[in-house]
Amino acid sequence: MNAVPGRHRPPETNSSCVVSYLAVKANSEGAGVPLVVFGKHFGKYSATENCFVLFPPSTTMPVIVSEDGERPGGRLTVVPISHISTDVNHDHHSVTGRLVHKGPLVSSSIYDFILKAAIEEGNSSPQETSSINLVLLGALASDFSQFVNQGDVVTASGFLVSKSPTAQKDKRHACNLLLSGDQAFIHVLRSPPHDLTSPGQAKRKKRFPPAAVASPTKSTYVRIAELKPGAVVNVYGVVVFFKQPFKSRGSDFCYSLKITDQSQQNIVCTIFCPKLELLPQIFRIGDIVRLHRVKTKMYKDSLNLVNWFGFSALTFNGTVGAEMNPRTSSKTFHFTEEDRRIVTELRSWVAGRDLLPPDLTVPLSAAKPGMYFNLTCQLLAKAPVNITCTLLRVWDGTRCPHALLEVTVDADVVEGPRSFPEEHEKLIANVLVFDNHVQSVQQLKPGDFLRIFNLRAIAGCVKVPGLTSSQVGVLNHLSFHLHGGTAYGRGVRLLPDDSPEVQELKRLTEAVQDDTNINDSALWDVWKTPPETPEREASAEFRTGSTLQEARHLAATYRNVVPVRSSPGGHLAPLDLSAPFIFRGRKSFYGCKRCSKVAAITEPTADGDKTIDEKIIAEAFGIHLLKWVLVLEFRLQDAGGTLDAYLWRDAESFFNVLAEDAAADQEAQDRIQRTMDWICPPEGSAGERPWLDLCLAAYQTEDGENGKEQTSYQICHTSAPSHQHLQL
DNA sequence: GCTTAGGGTTTG
């Protein structure tokens, strides 16, 4: 029995509204929209291949492919495969062999992915075991699957050794090598480029990330204490201080940071760049930076570093055990085992010491009058107060124990909703940013995730701009000021959507929205704003030309987000039905292109306390709502033979999960994954898979290519074993 | 090939 996570073809049907994958297809004809499938797997529909293709689960590159003779060096000793034993400490050992077996990439609820492989030595004596199994977990497995081919010479290090359960059967080494996490490393020696002449290989080569195909150039790094004036050097360090970048009086942005390393010295680095994105992407104290080509200069009896021609930077999370994704704007960069080692050593060196200043990032719930702190938050609305001050309305999903000061601004100048449900207002902080920061928040949009550095909580301030004489600051009501200047790293920074802190913030703010029984006043505030002039439209909400991602951002803030366009006569109309016609939290809903009769929009009404939902809005638009379905293909086997059968019509009752939830909700996806892991254990052989009583129905479909009728089968009226059963 | 800033709490 085989559930195929990667490629599905939905059963053909005459039903007019077949469902998620058709919706996916329609939606992806343009830009190609990534969608969540199961667990953390992302994919998109490929129109050319008529299938759904999964993306790798991670962008980390624990697998390094090189075309020259360089091997992972450092302090690792290459040991023969026959020397591998559970009794030996292999921390500083590596093994090398040619890849003789590469198993399929198997999805796993615990590790995301598992892949089995085997390597073989060429020069061992006949008496010795010359091949050994590798078990790769997580991102390493998916990268290996993508980039490594049979015949490649593979060097593995950072492995754990365990008994091989298949040794008797496969006659390989009695142990296998388990590779996972930050320590594990695979180096692959690829045939030289002139061998890559066949079209297939050329195509494969093109798919390698730039980091993987670049020939590694050995870089040497100087410890901070050993730096001498007047040299251009490469340096690694832990960030102990950084300012937000600011515009210099010259032609560049200026970025100032201070780093330290195991030599126990600090050094200030000043980096000038014409573009913000070229600067190191430092998010917090403790991040690790790799600076290439910086020049040492004396200033007031201290040595400084300034970027020099050919400068480039990588930044890493400084936490022990965190993913080793280098942050950089460089299109190509070298990241070798040596880098991995240096970052790992710096991480553990810092972790064992009390040398970093405390991280002042606290949630709103911990804000106290008078304190300076960093706030990670989502921007909900923005408004200019005067020429030197802008109001940011933000939240982080926590509630400040102190009452928050209300700041009133002219409704016409608010970007984002003018008001929020009362339950939400209690969670929203008013942040006033002054002077140089006014410009840096100009490009921010409602929905963005930010970190505000060195924000000051101010109680009962009567001088808050935007307050009239009747609204003087109430004693102990907190407002938040971002004072002018860059002292203490003061400033605002947009956080990338994929950063862990943003994921956590989304979880908190979504939980808040689920918990509070909000009405839809914010939506209707936006909804009822008629398109007036083009200028007004451009500055108003929904957001002319907004991307799918921006719409999803907005959806995190509102109960319902309905993308519309203006139509002749000043009416509103839904977008082309290739796009979702409504976003509700993490869920998106599509309309059927064939069955919908889109009318001029009438304002939907809800009777009594009934919540306005996708059904009411679909009705108001004349949209025939598409239903999400799960589609899985099973291969069934008994003594009589095998049969392929789909599960779709009754998939929801089979898993006891709504397809709509499975499209947006991790818990629902996990439930499906647990059931599938039981039916089809990722590690188990076919003999270990359970026997199931299934009800099958045969149905006729038309073969798309030659128009002939064919018989298909689907699983119906069947439930997967209950939860209790699965936990036994 | 070499200008910029050179950390260290506020007008509000």
Side-chain angles (χ1 to χ4, degrees):
Chain A
M1 191 173 283
N2 184 20
V4 186
R7 291 166 175 240
H8 290 298
R9 198 188 163 108
E12 299 294 331
T13 170
N14 292 325
S15 162
S16 60
C17 289
V18 172
V19 279
S20 71
Y21 287 107
L22 294 188
V24 168
K25 177 183 176 182
N27 194 34
S28 305
E29 280 165 355
V33 181
L35 291 169
V36 176
V37 193
F38 295 121
K40 294 171 185 166
H41 310 174
F42 288 78
K44 75 170 189 178
Y45 181 83
S46 159
T48 51
E49 295 183 58
N50 189 28
C51 67
F52 201 71
V53 181
L54 287 188
F55 294 146
S58 151
T59 53
T60 52
M61 268 299 302
V63 176
I64 299 292
V65 182
S66 66
E67 292 166 358
D68 64 6
E70 178 165 317
R71 297 284 181 89
R75 295 164 201 157
L76 294 177
T77 308
V78 182
V79 295
I81 285 174
S82 58
H83 288 203
I84 294 292
S85 159
T86 52
D87 299 323
V88 176
N89 179 353
H90 290 294
D91 283 359
H92 299 289
H93 291 168
S94 65
V95 292
T96 294
R98 192 168 293 276
L99 188 68
V100 291
H101 167 72
K102 185 174 111 176
L105 187 65
V106 179
S107 62
S108 149
S109 55
I110 301 172
Y111 303 109
D112 284 345
F113 291 105
I114 297 176
L115 185 143
K116 289 183 181 174
I119 56 171
E120 187 172 57
E121 274 170 351
N123 55 356
S124 51
S125 69
Q127 296 82 26
E128 290 176 321
T129 310
S130 63
S131 67
I132 191 165
N133 289 315
L134 313 180
V135 180
L136 299 105
L137 306 176
L140 195 63
S142 54
D143 285 352
F144 192 95
S145 173
Q146 199 176 351
F147 301 123
V148 187
N149 308 311
Q150 283 209 13
D152 287 343
V153 174
V154 171
T155 299
S157 57
F159 44 75
L160 292 173
V161 179
S162 62
K163 281 187 77 170
S164 168
T166 56
Q168 287 216 317
K169 202 168 70 184
D170 58 29
K171 307 289 181 211
R172 296 201 173 106
H173 197 290
C175 300
N176 58 28
L177 306 181
L178 195 65
L179 290 120
S180 74
D182 271 351
Q183 302 302 316
F185 196 80
I186 290 281
H187 182 277
V188 182
L189 186 60
R190 171 66 41 83
S191 305
H194 61 261
D195 286 344
L196 291 172
T197 46
S198 79
Q201 282 174 317
K203 191 177 170 191
R204 210 154 48 226
K205 180 172 185 273
K206 202 176 165 188
R207 290 177 56 197
F208 292 159
V213 288
S215 277
T217 310
K218 187 95 174 157
S219 298
T220 54
Y221 299 92
V222 184
R223 284 277 156 89
I224 292 168
E226 290 157 15
L227 292 169
K228 303 277 186 295
V232 177
V233 293
N234 304 324
V235 175
Y236 256 103
V238 181
V239 176
V240 293
F241 170 80
F242 66 109
K243 272 192 175 187
Q244 294 309 303
F246 59 96
K247 193 83 173 69
S248 74
R249 278 173 222 170
S251 58
D252 293 330
F253 285 95
C254 178
Y255 199 32
S256 182
L257 54 142
K258 188 188 269 184
I259 59 172
T260 188
D261 68 9
Q262 292 96 327
S263 66
Q264 315 259 17
Q265 295 268 331
N266 287 336
I267 192 162
V268 171
C269 316
T270 306
I271 298 165
F272 295 102
C273 274
K275 288 180 184 170
L276 277 173
E277 56 266 29
L278 300 175
L279 296 168
Q281 306 288 305
I282 297 167
F283 297 141
R284 60 170 70 231
I285 301 291
D287 279 350
I288 291 170
V289 285
R290 187 187 82 173
L291 305 176
H292 274 189
R293 295 191 60 79
V294 281
K295 187 168 185 176
T296 50
K297 284 186 171 180
M298 289 301 291
Y299 176 74
K300 288 188 180 170
D301 297 332
S302 310
L303 205 55
N304 286 353
L305 292 171
V306 184
N307 59 312
W308 201 242
F309 300 100
F311 166 80
S312 66
L314 297 186
T315 311
F316 305 86
N317 183 327
T319 314
V320 171
E323 279 196 65
M324 214 171 282
N325 285 339
R327 305 196 279 259
T328 182
S329 60
S330 301
K331 288 199 178 64
T332 61
F333 59 93
H334 306 307
F335 182 65
T336 66
E337 189 203 12
E338 174 81 352
D339 291 285
R340 187 172 285 270
R341 184 184 62 75
I342 294 172
V343 172
T344 305
E345 284 181 4
L346 271 172
R347 281 175 172 178
S348 39
W349 175 72
V350 167
R353 275 153 196 81
D354 191 21
L355 55 89
L356 296 181
D359 186 347
L360 299 174
T361 302
V362 299
L364 278 175
S365 58
K368 294 185 177 61
M371 77 190 287
Y372 286 93
F373 66 109
N374 305 331
L375 179 66
T376 307
C377 57
Q378 186 180 31
L379 180 64
L380 300 178
K382 190 175 84 168
V385 174
N386 59 43
I387 197 162
T388 64
C389 179
T390 294
L391 169 69
L392 304 181
R393 308 209 69 207
V394 304
W395 72 351
D396 69 358
T398 72
R399 184 167 177 182
C400 182
H402 302 267
L404 300 175
L405 192 70
E406 287 182 35
V407 178
T408 309
V409 290
D410 185 351
D412 285 344
V413 298
V414 177
E415 196 178 329
R418 288 111 175 98
S419 64
F420 292 87
E422 195 182 336
E423 295 83 355
H424 286 188
E425 284 287 351
K426 292 172 188 163
L427 302 170
I428 298 172
N430 290 313
V431 174
L432 295 162
V433 307
F434 293 94
D435 302 341
N436 50 318
H437 310 300
V438 168
Q439 200 194 347
S440 69
V441 300
Q442 248 171 14
Q443 78 280 12
L444 299 179
K445 297 189 179 86
D448 281 347
F449 292 93
L450 321 171
R451 181 168 291 145
I452 306 175
F453 292 86
N454 199 238
L455 188 60
R456 189 173 184 208
I458 295 186
C461 181
V462 294
K463 291 180 179 174
V464 170
L467 293 182
T468 64
S469 55
S470 62
Q471 301 172 292
V472 289
V474 185
L475 199 64
N476 291 330
H477 281 211
L478 283 189
S479 66
F480 299 91
H481 288 201
L482 186 67
H483 294 303
T486 62
Y488 283 88
R490 196 177 290 153
V492 181
R493 167 140 214 161
L494 183 67
L495 292 174
D497 215 36
D498 58 354
S499 64
E501 38 274 270
V502 168
Q503 297 304 317
E504 174 65 9
L505 201 56
K506 281 184 179 173
R507 198 183 61 73
L508 281 172
T509 54
E510 280 166 20
V512 164
Q513 288 173 93
D514 289 343
D515 290 348
T516 52
N517 180 25
I518 62 165
N519 58 42
D520 292 295
S521 64
L523 169 69
W524 295 115
D525 184 23
V526 174
W527 182 279
K528 287 173 179 169
T529 306
E532 292 169 4
T533 64
E535 292 77 19
R536 173 56 187 258
E537 264 188 298
S539 66
E541 290 71 15
F542 296 107
R543 296 188 152 218
T544 306
S546 91
T547 63
L548 181 68
Q549 193 185 23
E550 285 168 333
R552 290 198 194 285
H553 255 156
L554 277 177
T557 311
Y558 301 99
R559 180 109 181 165
N560 297 302
V561 171
V562 182
V564 295
R565 60 187 167 80
S566 60
S567 65
H571 294 296
L572 297 177
L575 302 180
D576 181 277
L577 289 176
S578 301
F581 74 94
I582 179 168
F583 299 93
R584 299 192 67 206
R586 292 170 58 112
K587 296 181 181 174
S588 348
F589 296 91
Y590 296 84
C592 177
K593 278 184 166 180
R594 270 194 282 172
C595 315
S596 302
K597 292 191 173 61
V598 179
I601 291 181
T602 54
E603 187 173 302
T605 52
D607 298 331
D609 295 334
K610 203 172 163 190
T611 309
I612 290 177
D613 63 11
E614 68 280 0
K615 294 189 188 71
I616 290 171
I617 289 175
E619 197 178 337
F621 279 5
I623 286 175
H624 193 118
L625 188 64
L626 280 180
K627 181 176 161 7
W628 287 88
V629 294
L630 294 158
V631 184
L632 285 93
E633 185 186 356
F634 288 78
R635 176 156 296 165
L636 311 171
Q637 188 171 30
D638 67 7
T642 61
L643 178 73
D644 289 338
Y646 291 107
L647 173 64
W648 55 284
R649 200 193 68 188
D650 291 348
E652 290 186 332
S653 56
F654 185 88
F655 290 110
N656 194 25
V657 169
L658 290 176
E660 175 188 313
D661 291 337
D665 178 58
Q666 184 68 52
E667 199 190 326
Q669 291 164 15
D670 289 346
R671 216 178 311 159
I672 293 172
Q673 186 72 58
R674 280 197 297 272
T675 304
M676 291 309 302
D677 283 348
W678 180 77
I679 292 174
C680 197
E683 286 276 31
S685 66
E688 293 164 15
R689 293 176 197 174
W691 286 90
L692 297 174
D693 287 321
L694 298 172
C695 176
L696 294 184
Y699 59 100
Q700 298 297 311
T701 57
E702 200 172 279
D703 187 308
E705 284 168 21
N706 54 29
K708 283 183 189 164
E709 287 246 312
Q710 62 178 30
T711 303
S712 297
Y713 299 89
Q714 67 161 318
I715 299 167
C716 56
H717 304 303
T718 305
S719 296
S722 70
H723 224 47
Q724 287 84 349
H725 189 160
L726 291 178
Q727 285 170 349
L728 287 178

